[in-house]
Amino acid sequence: MSIADSPAKRKLQEQGLEHVSGLAISETAAWKQLHQHVGEIKKTHLRELMKDEQRCQSMIKEVDGIVVDYSRQRVTTGTMEKLLSLANEAKLSEKIDAMWSGKHINSTEDRAVLHCALRAPREAEIFCDGKNVVPEVWSTLDKIKEFSERVRSGEWVGATGKALTNVVAIGIGGSFLGPLFVHNALETEPSAEKLAEGRSLRFFSNVDPVDSGIALKGLDPETTLVVVVSKTFTTAETMLNARTCRAWITSNLGVDAVSKHMIAVSTNLELVKEFGIDPENAFPFWDWVGGRYSVTSAVGVLPLALQYGFDKVEEFLKGTWSMDQHFRNAPLESNLPVLLGLLSVWNVTFLGYPARAILPYSQALQKLAPHIQQVSMESNGKGVAIDGTPLPYEAGEIEFGEPGTNGQHSFYQLIHQGRVVPCDFIGAVRSQHSVFMPGEKVSNHDELMSNFFAQADALADGKTPEDLKAEGVAAPLIPHKVFTGNRPSLSILLPTLDAFTIGQLLSLYEHRIAVQGFIWNVNSFDQWGVELGKSLASRVRTQLNASRTRDAPLQGFNYSTTYLLTHYLK
Ligand code: F6P
């Protein structure tokens, strides 16, 4: 079968999602014009662009309390128009509509992409294969609310009659990173902190036995509830960790204790039952929720509701929905996820900056970068277009980050004077905890935010040899002290960091990444690239077992792996 006849391509044609011109996106006039425009942009410097107040004004948007300033991107208003033409050519609006209307835009897995339905209000209607999915979403949310309230109130007790005050959530990838990010962000928010008093939530993800030691250290099985979170319920690491916890519970409390101490979140309820978890204690989600987009399903909602109470988690869901609605309804030219997605495509594909630094000036957002790493890199790290044809350009973005100001003392040297890495600065107007030390000029939060504001200008403006000369810097040091500037960044300013704004931020990033994928014309919702490593690990596992139990000789591996395995087995 040729690529032109591939099921993926046929699906696109059926759904009317082929590009306007019918051409590959990189063959279109809009794409070529952007390439030509790079030359013009290279002649500009952000130092100069930032002097044009009208330009800057047009690049600062406020949506529902969130301010996004992209005036420090290497763009003119003309660039933005060209990017919007590219969006039209790529049928971006149609692709967004297709997602919301439950079309199977994840064509290689023949699935809809409806994580937005997870946060829809009860009365909303969102259809998948002819069925409104919102009622089943709410039936699970109601079940989570009821169950979490029973556990939190002490009505649901463990096998020995004690209240379950500790939760260990087992899961990996999308079944771990999003919930961890939200948990960290809420942990220090005063109202959430209060709701979590006397309770603990831990995550257990790595199959490394060291991680089980960390996850279970000091915990009393009598007061611990284990939540096994796995979309497929087949992920090797998660299942071994689940068996490890089951053994921990049964060896301490007996076999019958599993029904009181272990619950599950999965789309595969059959396997949950086979594992020995009571189906009554299983919380479903659906194949139209991708793993890395699943934090607003039971994957995140259940552990977070156990820790903070359902109502707090509902505020988070409302925040995501608020940004979802903006994404769904705002015109492209004022749509935040669309604008940010287009800017990322501009940076990666046209300006040739493959990485992005996510720099929250908030310790509470310390797990934002690891979460976005998965959402973005697993979604858009693809080598072929959605119809299976090889991409003539590189898609995907390398994401990394650390909270400021810690990052400033780590890798900022490189982003100021080494490689150009577009940065996302994220800050909040009000801190979760305000501290003003007597005798200090500013509050601790002002001190933090001084850096947030300063870093963006330092990257954009830089420092010239003339500036340095005027400061009296010795000539031999001048080249070392020059900052070329012209380094793009954008600033995202939240009113504060609470459940609602955390939800808005999450949705902003989720949709921005989808927009990038829609423009690059990749399938942002599959992840075939994780399969090969898994199957090779399975071969090694079989070999290790055979070598250890039967002294079977190593076979079928290349010289290097044979050498390393021999050394390992010695
Ligand atoms: O890393 C691959 C992956 O399939 C992710 O997409 C997913 O989030 C993770 O593994 C965990 O999968 P599951 O929830 O099925 O255990």
Side-chain angles (χ1 to χ4, degrees):
M1 181 175 56
S2 78
I3 286 162
D5 296 330
S6 73
K9 179 153 185 125
R10 273 203 303 279
K11 196 135 246 149
L12 282 183
Q13 283 164 344
E14 276 161 33
Q15 294 177 344
L17 296 178
E18 263 201 319
H19 296 141
V20 173
S21 57
L23 295 170
I25 194 71
S26 54
E27 298 295 317
T28 62
W31 184 278
K32 288 179 182 160
Q33 272 165 19
L34 277 160
H35 262 305
Q36 278 161 14
H37 180 60
V38 169
E40 290 162 40
I41 286 296
K42 289 218 162 133
K43 289 183 206 140
T44 66
H45 194 290
L46 276 170
R47 211 180 288 137
E48 297 307 315
L49 292 177
M50 292 302 289
K51 287 183 188 156
D52 180 347
E53 291 193 359
Q54 242 182 335
R55 168 190 170 276
C56 293
Q57 199 185 23
S58 74
M59 296 181 185
I60 300 176
K61 310 273 184 221
E62 187 174 342
V63 172
D64 223 356
I66 297 188
V67 175
V68 173
D69 176 358
Y70 58 92
S71 60
R72 288 181 193 77
Q73 291 284 314
R74 295 190 67 189
V75 289
T76 59
T77 48
T79 320
M80 295 314 291
E81 281 161 21
K82 289 181 175 52
L83 285 168
L84 287 162
S85 302
L86 182 69
N88 286 327
E89 175 60 48
K91 287 202 175 163
L92 179 61
S93 298
E94 288 86 340
K95 288 176 180 173
I96 295 170
D97 282 348
M99 180 173 109
W100 278 89
S101 55
K103 288 193 177 159
H104 287 207
I105 61 168
N106 175 358
S107 48
T108 60
E109 294 180 318
D110 199 13
R111 289 175 182 169
V113 176
L114 279 178
H115 45 278
C116 293
L118 299 168
R119 45 254 196 163
R122 210 180 273 275
E123 63 282 2
E125 290 189 332
I126 297 178
F127 288 87
C128 181
D129 301 326
K131 184 174 158 207
N132 178 14
V133 297
V134 179
E136 51 186 326
V137 165
W138 272 94
S139 126
T140 302
L141 289 176
D142 289 337
K143 185 173 168 183
I144 293 175
K145 181 176 162 72
E146 200 220 322
F147 180 79
S148 58
E149 279 170 3
R150 287 177 69 200
V151 173
R152 287 172 58 81
S153 68
E155 184 196 329
W156 175 287
V157 290
T160 56
K162 289 192 181 167
L164 301 176
T165 49
N166 309 305
V167 171
V168 175
I170 303 174
I172 200 163
S175 294
F176 155 60
L177 291 161
L180 175 70
F181 149 62
V182 181
H183 171 50
N184 264 271
L186 282 178
E187 216 176 357
T188 44
E189 193 277 321
S191 65
E193 214 177 339
K194 219 163 173 208
L195 289 162
E197 257 168 32
R199 305 198 58 82
S200 77
L201 171 60
R202 296 185 189 184
F203 292 88
F204 177 15
S205 58
N206 201 335
V207 75
D208 183 341
V210 171
D211 204 24
S212 67
I214 296 169
L216 302 179
K217 190 173 180 183
L219 283 186
D220 178 356
E222 286 185 82
T223 56
T224 302
L225 178 66
V226 174
V227 191
V228 186
V229 185
S230 175
K231 180 174 172 179
T232 53
F233 228 72
T234 57
T235 303
E237 296 94 322
T238 298
M239 296 326 295
L240 179 52
N241 288 344
R243 292 192 294 275
T244 305
C245 280
R246 186 176 58 189
W248 179 68
I249 286 167
T250 55
S251 63
N252 281 288
L253 305 172
V255 176
D256 292 345
V258 169
S259 66
K260 287 286 173 195
H261 290 263
M262 289 191 89
I263 60 175
V265 176
S266 186
T267 58
N268 196 335
L269 299 181
E270 269 309 302
L271 289 184
V272 170
K273 193 171 160 196
E274 233 173 74
F275 180 85
I277 291 176
D278 185 347
E280 279 298 303
N281 302 336
F283 297 79
F285 66 113
W286 306 273
D287 72 358
W288 40 263
V289 182
R292 54 197 173 271
Y293 296 92
S294 66
V295 56
T296 49
S297 73
V299 165
V301 175
L302 178 60
L304 293 166
L306 286 163
Q307 180 70 358
Y308 301 105
F310 182 82
D311 293 350
K312 181 54 66 188
V313 185
E314 205 180 353
E315 287 170 30
F316 161 66
L317 296 180
K318 284 183 178 158
T320 51
W321 181 250
S322 142
M323 186 56 77
D324 292 345
Q325 288 305 290
H326 166 74
F327 179 55
R328 176 89 176 101
N329 299 317
L332 298 188
E333 60 275 15
S334 53
N335 190 312
L336 292 184
V338 168
L339 291 169
L340 299 194
L342 290 173
L343 287 166
S344 291
V345 171
W346 170 244
N347 284 332
V348 175
T349 307
F350 296 96
L351 294 182
Y353 306 142
R356 169 171 60 185
I358 298 171
L359 308 170
Y361 277 68
S362 162
Q363 196 58 29
L365 293 179
Q366 58 176 299
K367 295 295 176 187
L368 175 67
H371 176 51
I372 297 307
Q373 232 168 36
Q374 193 213 9
V375 180
S376 171
M377 292 166 80
E378 197 165 272
S379 294
N380 291 334
K382 306 288 161 65
V384 295
I386 197 159
D387 62 6
T389 50
L391 290 177
Y393 46 86
E394 285 193 290
E397 195 165 33
I398 301 158
E399 314 274 3
F400 70 101
E402 270 292 317
T405 60
N406 293 9
Q408 291 175 199
H409 301 274
S410 166
F411 52 82
Y412 276 38
Q413 165 64 41
L414 180 143
I415 63 181
H416 278 291
Q417 287 188 313
R419 293 166 187 267
V420 177
V421 180
C423 297
D424 288 1
F425 291 104
I426 303 156
V429 173
R430 288 187 311 283
S431 173
Q432 289 181 333
H433 286 273
S434 80
V435 175
F436 206 136
M437 297 291 289
E440 296 294 332
K441 288 202 183 80
V442 292
S443 69
N444 292 23
H445 185 64
D446 283 348
E447 177 63 30
L448 171 75
M449 292 301 284
S450 303
N451 289 277
F452 166 91
F453 294 111
Q455 288 293 333
D457 277 336
L459 286 170
D461 295 344
K463 199 161 193 178
T464 64
E466 292 70 36
D467 294 336
L468 291 160
K469 225 184 214 159
E471 283 175 13
V473 174
L477 271 184
I478 288 182
H480 300 279
K481 291 197 160 193
V482 164
F483 290 76
T484 54
N486 213 14
R487 291 161 188 258
S489 70
L490 59 87
S491 306
I492 301 175
L493 199 48
L494 309 169
T496 188
L497 207 66
D498 57 20
F500 188 85
T501 57
I502 294 162
Q504 289 175 297
L505 187 64
L506 173 80
S507 166
L508 174 63
Y509 271 91
E510 283 180 346
H511 296 317
R512 169 198 196 166
I513 289 160
V515 166
Q516 290 175 238
F518 288 147
I519 303 291
W520 280 320
N521 200 31
V522 296
N523 182 351
S524 301
F525 307 103
D526 62 10
Q527 57 286 316
W528 300 106
V530 301
E531 295 304 323
L532 182 58
K534 283 187 199 172
S535 62
L536 291 186
S538 157
R539 251 181 71 201
V540 176
R541 187 186 302 124
T542 307
Q543 177 71 56
L544 286 178
N545 177 271
S547 300
R548 297 239 192 251
T549 55
R550 292 183 275 110
D551 211 13
L554 294 170
Q555 35 178 309
F557 298 98
N558 60 29
Y559 179 83
S560 162
T561 308
T562 307
Y563 182 91
L564 293 170
L565 279 171
T566 309
H567 186 79
Y568 179 74
L569 284 163
K570 247 196 263 178

